[in-house]
Amino acid sequence: MKKMTLIALAWVLLIAVPAQAAETFPDLSMTAKMSPAHMKYLSVTGSEFKISDIKADFVLLEVYSMYCPICQRDAPKMNTLYQELAKTGQDKQIKVLGVAAGNTPYEVEFYRKKFKVEYPLVEDPDYVQHKAVGEVGTPAFYLLDLREGRLLILFSQIGEIEDVDEFVKIVVETTEK
């Protein structure tokens, strides 16, 4: 009986605690050598832009490095995610963007070609963006909500995508809430 009372009390306290505000993400300023198709996909003009300039409701941001073996293993999974969003038409509201921590434009292009990456990748040779996000390990993923004029983190994960189908499901379901 005591156990049931404690469980009920814990449940009431849990419900009574106000929900915490979503954490905000820094509005990274980026300079990138992107194709016209990638600029159009992100709806940005020129090679300098901020995340908040991207015309979408959500951005799935991947922090990666071409030298990271886990990132290399995840590249096909990210390609699948990008293609699934395009297949279902969700690529209009959810944009995918990769930030290459410590990588030069040459290294970004090498990675893009080697792994056949279709979504936009931006270089971060001096680790400016990487430092702004807390020098996270790679790969790191952030699902950002851009709808309210600030960047809210809806979901984040550091480390390998274990199951791409489950990861796609999490991204899609999180944006539907």
Side-chain angles (χ1 to χ4, degrees):
M1 183 68 173
K2 284 184 181 181
K3 187 175 183 182
M4 291 300 287
T5 304
L6 287 174
I7 291 172
L9 179 60
W11 181 249
V12 169
L13 289 175
L14 181 64
I15 292 172
V17 175
Q20 294 184 356
E23 192 177 338
T24 58
F25 193 82
D27 194 7
L28 305 176
S29 294
M30 300 184 211
T31 302
K33 294 183 179 179
M34 289 193 301
S35 70
H38 284 157
M39 288 191 292
K40 182 178 179 181
Y41 167 77
L42 296 175
S43 299
V44 297
T45 56
S47 61
E48 294 184 18
F49 66 95
K50 291 183 175 185
I51 294 176
S52 61
D53 295 333
I54 297 170
K55 304 293 186 270
D57 291 338
F58 307 96
V59 170
L60 177 63
L61 184 84
E62 172 193 25
V63 180
Y64 78 98
S65 171
M66 81 167 257
Y67 298 105
C68 165
I70 298 169
C71 301
Q72 293 173 16
R73 257 194 331 260
D74 269 0
K77 298 172 191 172
M78 283 299 293
N79 289 336
T80 298
L81 178 138
Y82 175 75
Q83 292 161 359
E84 285 297 314
L85 293 176
K87 238 191 289 185
T88 60
Q90 292 164 316
D91 62 330
K92 306 291 186 261
Q93 86 177 77
I94 306 169
K95 302 297 181 181
V96 180
L97 176 64
V99 176
N103 298 163
T104 65
Y106 174 82
E107 292 165 321
V108 168
E109 194 55 31
F110 181 87
Y111 186 88
R112 177 189 319 285
K113 286 180 181 176
K114 180 173 182 173
F115 297 104
K116 299 175 179 62
V117 176
E118 297 176 33
Y119 56 91
L121 302 174
V122 298
E123 59 268 11
D124 182 21
D126 299 321
Y127 294 96
V128 173
Q129 286 84 17
H130 187 247
K131 288 176 186 167
V133 300
E135 299 182 279
V136 294
T138 56
F141 305 93
Y142 297 93
L143 181 59
L144 308 173
D145 185 342
L146 279 61
R147 295 176 296 179
E148 295 191 22
R150 60 184 197 268
L151 309 177
L152 299 177
I153 302 171
L154 299 179
F155 168 80
S156 65
Q157 173 180 311
I158 297 175
E160 184 171 5
I161 297 172
E162 297 292 333
D163 180 335
V164 70
D165 294 329
E166 184 63 27
F167 195 79
V168 170
K169 182 179 173 186
I170 290 168
V171 169
V172 171
E173 287 180 357
T174 303
T175 61
E176 292 175 346
K177 292 181 183 175

